[in-house]
Amino acid sequence: MSHDIPNAVTQVRSPAPEAATHDSGPPPGGGTRDAFFDNAKYLLIVLVAVAHAWELVETSRATKALYVLVYTFHMPAFIIISGYLSRSFTARPRQIRRLVGGIAVPYVVFETAYSVFKRYADNAPDHPISLLDPWLLTWFLAALFIWRLTTPLWQQLRHPLAVALTVAVLASVTPGFGDDLNLQRVLQFLPFFVLGLCLKAEHFKLLRRREIRLLAIPLFVGALAFAYWASPRLRTEWFFRRSSAQEIGEPWWTGVVMTFALFGCSVLLTAAFLSWVPRRRTWFTVLGAGTICGYLLHGFLTKGAEYAGVVDAYTWLNDPAGKVLLSLITAVAVTLLCTPPVRHHLRPVTEPDLVWAFRPDLAERKAKG
């Protein structure tokens, strides 16, 4: 799971692109953080972590249905927010510095850290350390870096969403494409980022309407019922978007169908989810600023539990009550990882000061006389 809001419904001030959050720097003219987006980012990072915890236990039909439902919208929602908060990215020198410091540096650090962790915690000494092959959570940082850099291009196109969907469709039917930097995911998730770029403040205001919030309830109930019916027949690989249709054993044309079907379902569920996100400050609003920490660190907990054989040692975690407890523990853990003290201590990695690495831009030199 960046940063820049033009003006509008939300003015988010954030010192660095937040991987699982995504605002992109302070809005023009400054501003304060917008509680709505911070609330949404915190709730989404909890869903991301809990869904990863569900992968540790045996998958009953009900668990898979919940898993499918959450995976349909949690990353698309993050990416849409990321795109919206990137609308004022024009590749100015200051924005490029923030892009490198807030996304590229954490990518290098955590891609290396996760690879080393895999080697020693999972007794896999041959696991490669490669910055071209994102492992586990770090694919999103690589994707966000690419999407952000291409923002000016999408903003110049007459029909950017149509073009992005075409790119996603072509990726979904092209086997063997995009091993480097996980480009399959970059391109298949691209339409959500472009959609975010196309959104305006009034679109988020529409979600405040009472009728929209009421419609969101039967929509989620219906989606869960459909997921329960479809779960035995549905390949979860579709939701990861890391492979073409042929690579997951399906005919090529299903890639076209699933690209459009999942895009539509994801957008509807994202809208339904956002309609219920509080717009006022809550006890967890402050945690929205630290979701990059929760995103990047929770993988050590879930993978550490997997490598240590926690579920094998405590088989009752596979029972319904055990899954509920595991979900609660994961939610509490990721909440703690988003707290200000963790963000403060992780700042040298997630929000590094790279003044020493860049030349001052012309505007800064003129300001200094």
Side-chain angles (χ1 to χ4, degrees), residues 316-330:
W316 54 269
L317 288 172
N318 294 297
D319 299 333
K323 292 176 181 177
V324 171
L325 179 60
L326 180 63
S327 300
L328 292 174
I329 292 173
T330 303

Side-chain angles (χ1 to χ4, degrees), residues 125-163:
D126 296 329
H127 181 79
I129 300 176
S130 171
L131 298 181
L132 294 179
D133 186 17
W135 186 68
L136 200 60
L137 304 170
T138 55
W139 72 269
F140 185 71
L141 294 177
L144 190 56
F145 189 88
I146 295 171
W147 294 331
R148 179 66 56 72
L149 277 181
T150 61
T151 292
L153 169 63
W154 297 109
Q155 292 176 327
Q156 291 300 313
L157 296 178
R158 289 184 180 273
H159 305 290
L161 186 56
V163 174

Side-chain angles (χ1 to χ4, degrees), residues 58 193 236:
E58 293 178 1
F193 184 82
T236 54

